[in-house]
């Protein structure tokens, strides 16, 4: 495996172009100072909001300064993530976060001030022509009345924001910049570079010695620091508990879901429905054990492809072709946006030393929707690219069709557009591939995608909720307790076919999403919604595709997320979409077994 290159060795065309945000760091500095100097203008509104004209003025000020700060923060965090070991951009990101805290503190009076307006009067203001762009925002504010504190209390919480973010910052810096792993060794004694970016690829190797070495070397390192990492995670959970208690929510989960107007039953329905169908995952792990002809299936065996001797490398150039073809059912305009992103350097493609691991889509109102990748030449990365472009085009449409105050979208719907693209890609590839072994490989990838997106993320959701409940009950989150909870869940989900070891118990220490406050369950709910919507588009043609784009992708946060999805064609208020997703997984298992039998 090739040595990971340095950032300065990347070819320009393979990196994202951030000059469209700021031409230089000096331009960023000027914008930073401009926002910094505007903090204080809000003082004139602190005597009260006594008319709809004053309300409009303060809301427009909030929107304008927030738009300017958004660009400052996005530029700094993208620069930081492209090389986390670069002190200059670490400094810029730290300053951007500090500015964000200052801005939040300055504007912390706004919600209490608006809610000081009598409810009926605020409703009357919201109905006026002048405030039509803020009508839904004001409606949502009215629902928050029980959880908004006094002006001084809100200001204190805003000032605490930077301190409360410390556990996440410490974990991120340790996990991405400081933590290094011993090389993995294959059966012939050759060393392979082990990083966050190469780990899963190594686990997919047909060389079991290499898989075991990568697995044990990675988790041994996390295990070495498990006590420290248990405290960074405990620190993050403490901030969630503190915030929920301070704002009069009955639990951390209540606050996290209420902020997006998601009933807690959605979370419980997901966990219950997935638990009711764990026999399907157990069937899959048993099938994996049989196909790999193993007496003992280990956790380092659960990623390796079940289809051997298939040359199915996908270069980045080939991935572009697959992607543009697969997305044709969404129409010329949609495909044109993706092509623009590919041609105009929205994507930072390859791994380099210090680069943040994983993949994501990021940006803000007035910027391109950038994509971070750590590209490896395989089908998995092709699907990741499709996934991230789902996010990016969703963001593009929302920002083009909504004002900045409603151009973002709830995390509850965030994973729908991304998983939708993966479903279209899988359908297209299966139809176009002629080689049955490649088809078998693709179905294996779909099974793996489902396992990772629905079963695995629901397991994460159970873990996350359990540790919040433990902390809320007063129990300390020690490394041994976290290991115990995670280990038990892992065994429940993967079943008796897997022979467990102590290494997997510390996997919680590797998962950055546990620092994101009840985020992970939405991968599973989003997959289920996407499964239904993609099926509708593939079967219903251009009219249904237009409904998906117009009623979902363009809506941003202009309505409650459950209502947006309902208008687009799927109702997430009950367990039916989750049950239907389980049927998809079962049918893929059947398809896999049928293809396997044909090839014997």
């Amino acid at each position: 495996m090739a040595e990971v290159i340095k950032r300065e060795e990347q070819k320009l065309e393979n990196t994202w172009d951030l000059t469209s945000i700021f031409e230089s760091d000096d331009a960023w500095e000027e914008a930073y100072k401009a926002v910094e100097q505007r903090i204080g203008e809000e003082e004139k509104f602190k005597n009260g909001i006594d008319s709809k004209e004053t309300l409009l003025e303060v809301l427009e000020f909030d929107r304008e300064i927030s738009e300017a700060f958004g660009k400052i923060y996005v530029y700094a965090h993208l620069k930081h993530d492209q090389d986390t070991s670069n002190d200059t951009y670490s400094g810029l990101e730290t300053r951007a976060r500090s500015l964000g805290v200052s801005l939040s503190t300055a504007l912390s009076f706004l919600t209490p001030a608006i809610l000081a307006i009598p409810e009926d009067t605020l409703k009357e203001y919201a109905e006026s022509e002048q405030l039509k762009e803020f009508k839904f925002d004001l409606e949502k504010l009215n629902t928050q009345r029980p959880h908004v504190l006094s002006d001084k209390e809100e200001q204190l919480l805003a000032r605490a924001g930077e301190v409360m973010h410390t556990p996440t910052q410490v974990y991120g810096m340790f996990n991405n910049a400081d933590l290094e792993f011993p090389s993995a060794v294959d059966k012939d004694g050759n060393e392979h570079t082990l990083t966050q970016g190469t780990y899963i690829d190594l686990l997919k190797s047909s060389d079991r010695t290499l898989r075991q070495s990568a697995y044990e070397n990675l988790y041994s390192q996390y295990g070495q620091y498990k006590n420290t990492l248990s405290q960074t995670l405990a620190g993050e959970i403490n901030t969630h508990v503190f915030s929920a208690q301070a704002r009069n929510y009955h639990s951390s989960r209540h606050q996290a879901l209420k902020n997006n107007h998601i009933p807690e039953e959605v979370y419980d329905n997901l966990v219950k429905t997935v638990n009711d169908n764990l026999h399907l995952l157990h069937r899959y792990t048993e099938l994996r054990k049989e196909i790999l002809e193993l007496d003992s299936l280990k956790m380092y065996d659960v990623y390796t492809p079940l289809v051997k001797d298939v040359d199915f490398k996908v270069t980045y150039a080939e991935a572009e072709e697959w992607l543009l073809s697969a997305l044709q059912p969404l129409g010329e305009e949609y495909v044109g946006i993706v092509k623009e992103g590919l041609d105009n350097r929205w994507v930072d493609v390859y791994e380099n030393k210090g680069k943040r691991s994983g993949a994501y889509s990021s940006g803000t109102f007035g910027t391109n929707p950038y994509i971070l990748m750590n590209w490896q030449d395989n089908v998995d990365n092709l699907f990741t690219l499709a996934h991230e472009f789902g996010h990016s085009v969703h963001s593009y449409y929302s920002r083009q069709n909504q004002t900045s105050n409603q151009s973002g979208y709830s995390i509850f719907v965030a994973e729908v557009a991304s998983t939708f693209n993966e479903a279209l890609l899988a359908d297209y590839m299966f139809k176009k591939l002629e080689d049955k072994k490649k088809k078998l490989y693709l179905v294996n990838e779909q099974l793996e995608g489902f396992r990772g997106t629905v079963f695995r993320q629901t397991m994460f959701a159970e873990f996350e909720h359990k540790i919040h409940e433990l902390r809320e009950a007063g129990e300390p989150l020690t490394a041994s307790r976290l290991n115990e909870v995670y280990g038990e869940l892992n065994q429940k989900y993967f079943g008796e076919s897997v022979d467990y070891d102590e290494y997997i118990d510390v996997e919680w220490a590797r998962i950055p999403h546990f620092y994101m406050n009840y985020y992970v369950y939405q991968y599973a709910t989003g997959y289920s919604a996407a499964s239904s919507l993609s099926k509708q588009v593939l079967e219903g043609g251009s009219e249904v595709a237009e409904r998906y784009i117009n009623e979902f992708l363009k809506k941003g946060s202009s309505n409650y997320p459950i209502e947006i999805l309902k208008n687009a064609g799927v109702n997430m208020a009950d367990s039916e979409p989750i049950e239907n997703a389980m049927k998809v997984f079962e049918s893929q298992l059947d398809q896999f077994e049928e293809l396997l039998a044909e090839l014997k």
Side-chain angles (χ1 to χ4, degrees):
M1 190 171 291
E3 191 73 23
V4 180
I5 64 173
K6 296 179 181 178
R7 181 66 188 181
E8 56 269 24
E9 295 172 329
Q10 293 275 25
K11 292 180 180 178
L12 187 68
E13 63 267 25
N14 295 327
T15 63
W16 46 31
D17 178 13
L18 303 185
T19 61
S20 63
I21 310 177
F22 295 109
E23 290 185 2
S24 65
D25 294 350
D26 289 339
W28 179 90
E29 193 70 45
E30 289 177 17
Y32 180 96
K33 289 177 180 176
V35 168
E36 190 176 42
Q37 289 168 3
R38 292 202 67 187
I39 295 177
E41 292 181 26
E42 75 285 346
E43 291 294 330
K44 64 182 178 181
F45 301 109
K46 289 188 175 179
N47 291 329
I49 301 171
D50 55 6
S51 69
K52 59 177 173 285
E53 289 77 19
T54 305
L55 178 57
L56 177 62
E57 187 181 356
V58 69
L59 288 174
E60 286 182 334
F61 168 75
D62 174 47
R63 183 164 67 181
E64 185 180 330
I65 198 169
S66 296
E67 284 179 18
F69 170 73
K71 292 180 180 180
I72 290 165
Y73 176 74
V74 164
Y75 180 87
H77 106 76
L78 294 179
K79 282 285 192 179
H80 169 259
D81 285 359
Q82 70 188 28
D83 183 0
T84 60
S85 64
N86 186 312
D87 290 343
T88 298
Y89 294 120
S90 293
L92 256 59
E93 188 189 42
T94 299
R95 288 176 60 204
R97 289 190 184 279
S98 295
L99 181 64
V101 171
S102 298
L103 184 59
S104 296
T105 302
L107 295 173
S108 62
F109 80 96
L110 185 54
T111 296
I114 293 173
L115 292 181
I117 302 170
E119 187 170 355
D120 290 341
T121 304
L122 187 58
K123 287 180 180 178
E124 179 187 332
Y125 285 175
E127 292 296 330
S128 70
E129 181 66 19
Q130 292 163 283
L131 287 159
K132 65 180 181 180
E133 292 182 351
F134 299 97
K135 179 181 178 180
F136 184 60
D137 294 334
L138 296 174
E139 178 186 320
K140 288 190 293 183
L141 269 182
N142 255 333
T143 68
Q144 292 179 19
R145 285 182 182 270
H147 307 293
V148 175
L149 308 178
S150 70
D151 189 357
K152 287 185 178 179
E153 289 170 324
E154 288 291 341
Q155 189 175 74
L156 183 62
L157 284 180
R159 284 176 176 168
E162 189 170 15
V163 175
M164 293 171 71
H165 191 69
T166 298
T168 301
Q169 284 184 302
V170 171
Y171 175 78
M173 187 61 71
F174 176 80
N175 200 42
N176 293 310
D178 291 343
L179 187 61
E180 295 183 351
F181 307 100
S183 294
V185 180
D186 63 26
K187 58 182 174 55
D188 298 320
N190 300 313
E191 293 190 351
H192 298 254
T193 301
L194 176 60
T195 67
Q196 302 279 12
T198 64
Y199 174 63
I200 297 300
D201 248 24
L202 292 171
L203 285 196
K204 291 182 177 181
S205 170
S206 60
D207 183 343
R208 198 177 191 212
T209 301
L210 180 60
R211 298 200 302 265
Q212 180 178 358
S213 177
Y215 171 81
E216 293 182 353
N217 286 357
L218 184 114
Y219 288 119
S220 290
Q221 286 297 94
Y222 279 107
Q224 184 177 342
Y225 299 104
K226 63 183 179 182
N227 293 314
T228 297
L229 292 173
S230 71
Q231 292 312 294
T232 61
L233 182 54
E236 180 68 20
I237 304 304
N238 286 340
T239 68
H240 303 166
V241 174
F242 168 75
S243 178
Q245 292 175 346
R247 293 194 176 279
N248 303 311
Y249 291 94
H250 62 69
S251 69
S252 303
R253 190 179 75 170
H254 181 217
Q255 180 180 24
L257 272 63
K258 182 73 171 178
N259 283 342
N260 291 301
H261 301 270
I262 306 299
E264 288 188 84
E265 290 78 9
V266 170
Y267 202 103
D268 293 329
N269 281 341
L270 169 68
V271 172
K272 182 182 184 305
T273 305
V274 170
N275 271 262
D276 288 345
N277 286 276
L278 284 178
H279 63 279
L280 295 174
L281 181 56
H282 298 167
R283 173 184 163 192
Y284 179 47
T285 53
E286 181 61 37
L287 181 63
R288 171 173 286 277
K289 182 178 178 181
E290 291 174 12
I291 293 172
L292 293 177
E293 299 178 339
L294 296 173
D295 294 330
S296 174
L297 183 73
K298 295 286 191 176
M299 286 305 300
Y300 51 78
D301 297 318
V302 301
Y303 284 94
T304 186
L306 297 180
V307 186
K308 299 177 181 179
D309 304 320
V310 177
D311 183 14
F312 206 169
K313 288 183 65 176
V314 180
T315 66
Y316 186 70
E318 291 168 339
E320 293 180 321
E321 294 177 8
W322 276 114
L323 186 60
L324 292 171
S325 297
L327 298 177
Q328 292 293 326
L330 289 172
E332 186 177 330
E333 182 184 67
Y334 188 102
V335 174
I337 295 168
V338 174
K339 193 171 189 311
E340 180 184 343
L342 292 169
D343 293 344
N344 292 301
R345 294 176 57 203
W346 291 3
V347 187
D348 202 84
V349 183
Y350 296 104
E351 183 181 15
N352 55 249
K353 288 183 178 178
K355 187 175 178 181
R356 187 190 187 277
S357 62
Y360 64 64
S361 170
S362 182
T364 189
F365 191 85
T367 76
N368 291 325
Y370 292 99
I371 294 173
L372 179 138
M373 292 287 295
N374 283 276
W375 183 266
Q376 305 288 326
D377 286 344
N378 56 46
V379 171
D380 185 55
N381 273 245
L382 166 58
F383 276 85
T384 299
L385 186 66
H387 182 103
E388 300 307 337
F389 259 108
H391 286 308
S392 286
V393 181
H394 189 185
S395 298
Y396 180 93
Y397 270 125
S398 294
R399 293 167 193 163
Q400 291 291 318
N401 290 277
Q402 302 293 333
T403 52
S404 66
N405 54 299
Q406 292 182 356
S407 65
Y409 42 82
S410 161
I411 58 175
F412 185 74
V413 301
E415 295 303 324
V416 175
S418 53
T419 311
F420 179 102
N421 276 13
E422 291 189 68
L424 258 59
L425 177 62
D427 180 80
Y428 177 80
M429 292 183 75
F430 191 83
K431 290 174 179 174
K432 289 295 179 181
L433 290 170
E434 296 180 359
D435 187 323
K436 285 189 177 181
K437 273 201 169 182
K438 286 189 174 181
K439 282 192 169 191
L440 192 66
Y441 183 91
L442 180 62
V443 177
N444 184 199
E445 288 294 300
Q446 289 179 269
L447 289 168
E448 279 300 288
F450 195 106
R451 179 186 67 79
T453 306
V454 180
F455 288 112
R456 182 171 167 83
Q457 299 301 328
T458 304
M459 184 182 80
F460 286 173
E462 275 206 72
F463 175 76
E464 184 175 25
H465 187 45
K466 177 65 175 177
I467 62 177
H468 276 85
E469 286 184 318
L470 290 173
R471 193 67 200 94
E472 286 164 344
E475 183 171 340
L477 298 179
T478 62
S480 58
R481 189 69 171 106
L482 292 171
N483 281 3
E484 178 187 2
V485 172
Y486 194 87
E488 288 175 355
L489 282 171
N490 207 77
Q491 292 185 46
K492 179 177 77 169
Y493 271 74
F494 283 91
E496 296 179 358
S497 296
V498 178
D499 184 14
Y500 299 95
D501 54 58
E502 73 279 5
Y503 293 102
I504 198 62
D505 290 353
V506 79
E507 187 181 36
W508 57 265
R510 177 175 165 258
I511 310 301
H513 290 79
F514 293 146
Y515 292 77
M516 296 173 69
N517 195 12
Y518 284 94
Y519 185 98
V520 292
Y521 82 99
Q522 291 155 122
Y523 284 108
T525 56
Y527 183 99
S528 302
S531 178
S532 175
L533 289 169
S534 61
K535 188 173 186 291
Q536 291 176 42
V537 168
L538 287 168
E539 294 176 353
S542 60
E543 188 176 319
V544 180
E546 287 176 13
R547 185 187 70 191
Y548 169 70
I549 291 171
N550 293 328
E551 297 298 330
F552 179 70
L553 297 182
K554 292 183 177 180
K555 289 300 182 181
S557 56
S558 60
N559 201 348
Y560 296 115
I562 281 187
E563 293 303 314
I564 288 175
L565 282 172
K566 189 182 295 183
N567 292 336
V570 62
N571 183 7
M572 296 303 296
D574 58 44
S575 60
E576 184 180 359
I578 314 296
E579 292 167 354
N580 288 339
M582 290 296 157
K583 292 176 184 176
V584 170
F585 183 74
E586 187 171 21
S587 69
Q588 289 171 347
L589 272 173
D590 293 341
Q591 192 177 51
F592 186 82
E593 290 175 339
E594 288 169 10
L595 281 168
L596 201 62
E598 289 176 16
L599 287 167
K600 284 185 178 178

